[in-house]
Amino acid sequence: MTVEFAVVLPAVVLVLVVLLGAVVVVDGRGRLELAAATTARALGRGDATAAEAFAAIAPGATRRTWHADGLVCVEAERHAAGPFAGLRVRATSCAAEGGR
C-alpha cells in the first residue's frame, strides 16, 4: 500500500458516508411527505384510520393537524436517521375537507 492511498482512503470513506447519509435523509423526507399526504387525505374524507396510517408509514414521527379555508393540513416531523440524526426533517401536506 502506498502512502498516497493511505492518505486518500479516509477521505473517500468520509465522502461515501456523507453521500449515503444524504440518501437516508432524503428517503426519510419522502416517507414524511407520503405520511402527511396520506393522513391529510384520510382526515379530509373523515376516515377513522388516519392515525394508524400515519403511524404505519412514518413510525416515530410527530403529527400536527389544523383546518383552514376548507382544507385539512398535516405536518409531520422527526429526527433524520444515520449520520445526520441531529437534523429535524419536516413535511406538510393539505387536502380538501369533506372529500370535495
Side-chain angles (χ1 to χ4, degrees):
M1 181 184 322
T2 65
V3 174
E4 291 85 6
F5 182 74
V7 169
V8 170
L9 185 62
V12 170
V13 169
L14 180 64
V15 168
L16 290 176
V17 166
V18 168
L19 290 176
L20 183 60
V23 168
V24 169
V25 169
V26 169
D27 178 58
R29 172 72 195 269
R31 287 177 187 262
L32 283 180
E33 288 284 346
L34 177 63
T38 301
T39 305
R41 287 192 305 269
L43 290 172
R45 289 189 308 263
D47 289 349
T49 61
E52 292 85 12
F54 181 83
I57 297 170
T62 59
R63 180 185 79 178
R64 186 171 71 96
T65 305
W66 69 94
H67 301 267
D69 299 326
L71 296 174
V72 59
C73 296
V74 175
E75 179 183 76
E77 185 177 15
R78 74 172 166 195
H79 283 287
F84 299 111
L87 297 176
R88 298 288 293 171
V89 181
R90 181 180 302 142
T92 305
S93 184
C94 296
E97 234 177 334
R100 291 177 265 146

